[in-house]
């Protein structure tokens, strides 16, 4: 394990002190707004940022106009995600003109890319500072600097230049939910899939200590959390004191009724041992997300995925065979550079053959600095046409697969009443809406409660049912 990636606790303490100074400067009682773009890792990061905000005397708000500290936690995975950030960031100008005391910041994956930083610095001068994915723990120091009018605008260690990045333990956290939680087990990625920007913006793989992860999970279970997701770009390469399967097994061994999930697995190293652990442990939710990316071996090789379609199929079959009622989901990229019609057809066939409960389909988006961006590109029209074709197939397959739940009684974690309808999730992470039979105690269907629901209708992406006593 890499010992030197941990931020020294005295540095964390220094941030806590900076937070106190910020509170003294502002007088406290202010509000912070964090806009989170992209994946669960960013959501988890934002919860820690909000923890630091609270320490500095800023409470969470969802109303941009009432915030005096505004942070955009950005995503760089596809161009679409970046454009969303740019369009929202423009709105900060007016707020800043109205109130000069507002502090504005940009962080996350876009901040790690020099060409994006350039754009923020030149086109968005009302952004006070930009910080990288491994500078998150320094928020109090950065806010203090901004409040004191320091002109230091960029806090970046340069993860794209082979730096490892850090792990900061002991940060406060303000979670979005009081029954669902993210627990990061590792950060970064070493895989360098040729289309992907993640290894350049999140640094090399580094794992939290198993004891720290397990202590966090145990505390969450004790606090009544019911749905806990272990997070990492590639959880199978977790290298703590325990292997990932063992960590998962232990995380699912605390007393109480709860689900453990994990994201994301790489097919090249999702092991039989991991699948067996899932099969044996009812607290591990029966959902396996295993990104296939393409169903053609030449494209997989170009992607640097290091598995073949046949190997993928074998793992998918093992998962379906071993884990009762499992939902298998996947990611597919349409129109990777040089992908031919025939190669895309191979993907369509593979998707049809495996049968995914959920498929996240993406149009390939060139990312500056990645090898695939330099290859011969597929025309945009063809990419979107392939995307549409695959989505149509998946709608049919998902509906077919969902019909297996019709008539069954399933365990559901309620998300409570939403627009007059009870909603929740099954262990497979499927959305289910349900009614309560007459006389059913509403308390038992409140958000964060487990209950049994009999499925009466199964459409492609939603189930419907009625709670049973
Ligand atoms: N273009 C399109 N999709 C991408 N993904 C990652 N990089 C790109 C890209 N450049 C997809 C992959 C990954 C998911 C999170 O995003 O399918 O699994
Ligand atoms: Fe990107 Fe590949 Fe790493 Fe996933 S495994 S984050 S797709 S480089």
């Amino acid at each position: 394990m890499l010992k030197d990636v941990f931020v020294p606790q005295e540095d964390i303490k220094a941030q806590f002190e900076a937070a106190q100074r910020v509170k003294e400067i502002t007088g406290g009682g202010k509000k912070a707004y964090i806009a989170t773009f992209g994946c669960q890792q960013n959501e988890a990061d934002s919860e820690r940022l909000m923890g630091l905000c609270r320490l500095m005397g800023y409470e969470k708000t969802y109303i941009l106009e009432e915030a005096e500290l505004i942070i955009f936690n950005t995503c760089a995975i596809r161009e679409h995600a970046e454009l969303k950030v740019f369009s929202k960031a423009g709105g900060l100008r007016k707020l800043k003109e109205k109130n000069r005391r507002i502090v504005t910041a940009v962080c996350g994956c876009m901040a790690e890319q020099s060409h994006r930083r350039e754009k923020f610095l030149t086109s968005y001068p009302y952004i006070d500072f930009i910080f990288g994915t491994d500078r998150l723990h320094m928020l109090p120091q950065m806010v203090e600097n901004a409040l004191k009018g320091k002109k230091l605008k960029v806090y970046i260690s340069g993860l794209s230049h082979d730096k490892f990045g850090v792990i900061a333990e002991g940060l406060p956290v303000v979670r979005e939910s009081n029954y669902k939680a993210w627990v990061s087990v590792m950060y970064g990625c070493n895989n360098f899939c040729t289309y992907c920007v993640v290894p350049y913006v999140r640094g090399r793989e580094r794992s939290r200590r198993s004891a720290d992860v397990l202590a966090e999970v145990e505390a969450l279970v004790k606090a009544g959390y019911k749905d806990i997701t272990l997070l990492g770009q590639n959880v199978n390469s977790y290298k703590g004191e325990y292997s990932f399967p063992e960590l998962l097994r232990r995380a699912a061994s605390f007393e109480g009724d709860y689900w453990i999930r994990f994201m994301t697995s790489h097919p090249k190293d999702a092991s039989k041992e991991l699948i067996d652990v899932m099969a044996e442990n009812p607290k591990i939710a029966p959902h396996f997300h295993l990104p296939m990316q393409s169903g053609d071996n030449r494209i997989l090789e170009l992607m640097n995925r290091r598995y073949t379609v046949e190997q993928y199929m074998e793992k998918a079959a093992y998962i379906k065979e071993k884990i009762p009622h499992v939902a298998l989901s996947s990611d597919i990229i349409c129109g990777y550079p040089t992908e031919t019609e025939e190669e895309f057809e191979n993907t369509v066939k593979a998707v049809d053959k495996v049968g995914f409960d959920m498929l996240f389909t993406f149009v390939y988006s060139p990312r500056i600095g990645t090898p695939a961006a330099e290859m011969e590109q597929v025309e945009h029209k063809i990419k979107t046409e392939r995307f549409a074709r695959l989505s149509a197939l998946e709608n049919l397959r998902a509906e077919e697969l969902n019909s297996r739940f019709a008539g069954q009684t399933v365990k559901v974690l309620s998300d409570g009443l939403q627009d007059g309808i009870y909603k929740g999730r099954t262990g497979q992470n499927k959305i289910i809406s349900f009614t309560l039979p007459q006389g059913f105690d509403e308390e038992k269907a409140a958000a964060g409660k487990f209950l049994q629901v009999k499925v009466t209708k199964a459409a492609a992406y939603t189930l419907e049912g009625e709670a049973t006593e």
Side-chain angles (χ1 to χ4, degrees), residues 409-430:
T409 299
V410 296
K411 182 172 176 176
V412 168
L413 179 60
S414 176
D415 287 314
L417 261 183
Q418 294 171 8
D419 302 323
I421 300 169
Y422 278 98
K423 294 233 165 110
R425 295 268 179 168
T426 69
Q428 292 81 4
N429 210 21
K430 287 179 186 278

Side-chain angles (χ1 to χ4, degrees), residues 77-78 195-196 291 293 331-333 362-367:
I77 196 90
R78 284 172 291 275
Y195 51 81
C196 187
Q293 311 296 2
D331 295 344
I332 296 278
I333 297 175
F362 305 105
V363 167
Y364 169 73
S365 170
R367 307 285 69 209

Side-chain angles (χ1 to χ4, degrees), residues 189 191-193 195-196 198-199 233 266 305:
C189 184
N191 283 315
F192 290 95
C193 301
Y195 51 81
C196 187
V198 168
Q233 301 297 342
H266 194 300
R305 292 291 286 176

Side-chain angles (χ1 to χ4, degrees), residues 245-254 256 258-262 273-287 322-324:
E246 181 59 18
L247 184 77
L248 184 64
R249 197 183 64 73
R250 288 178 185 251
S253 305
F254 297 111
Y258 63 98
W259 279 331
I260 284 279
R261 305 176 184 278
F262 59 94
E273 188 194 352
L274 172 66
I275 299 163
D276 293 342
V277 164
M278 280 183 82
E280 282 155 18
N281 207 314
K283 283 183 189 161
I284 305 175
H287 174 203
K322 285 281 160 157
I323 308 169

Side-chain angles (χ1 to χ4, degrees), residues 292-300 302-303 309 313 331-353 356 359-364 378-394:
M292 180 160 81
Q293 311 296 2
S294 165
D296 181 85
N297 283 335
R298 188 187 74 91
I299 295 293
L300 284 173
L302 275 182
M303 286 176 162
V309 183
M313 295 282 184
D331 295 344
I332 296 278
I333 297 175
C334 302
Y336 181 86
T338 76
E339 182 188 67
T340 65
E341 193 50 36
E342 197 186 340
E343 287 163 345
F344 180 69
E345 240 348 279
N346 286 339
T347 297
V348 173
K349 279 184 212 145
V351 165
D352 194 32
K353 188 164 170 200
F356 292 111
L359 192 68
F360 301 89
T361 313
F362 305 105
V363 167
Y364 169 73
V378 171
E379 227 180 288
H380 185 72
K381 209 175 90 202
I382 297 179
K383 288 195 282 193
T384 52
E385 184 271 322
R386 288 179 187 168
F387 171 87
R389 229 191 309 157
L390 192 60
S391 307
L393 164 76
E394 178 54 22

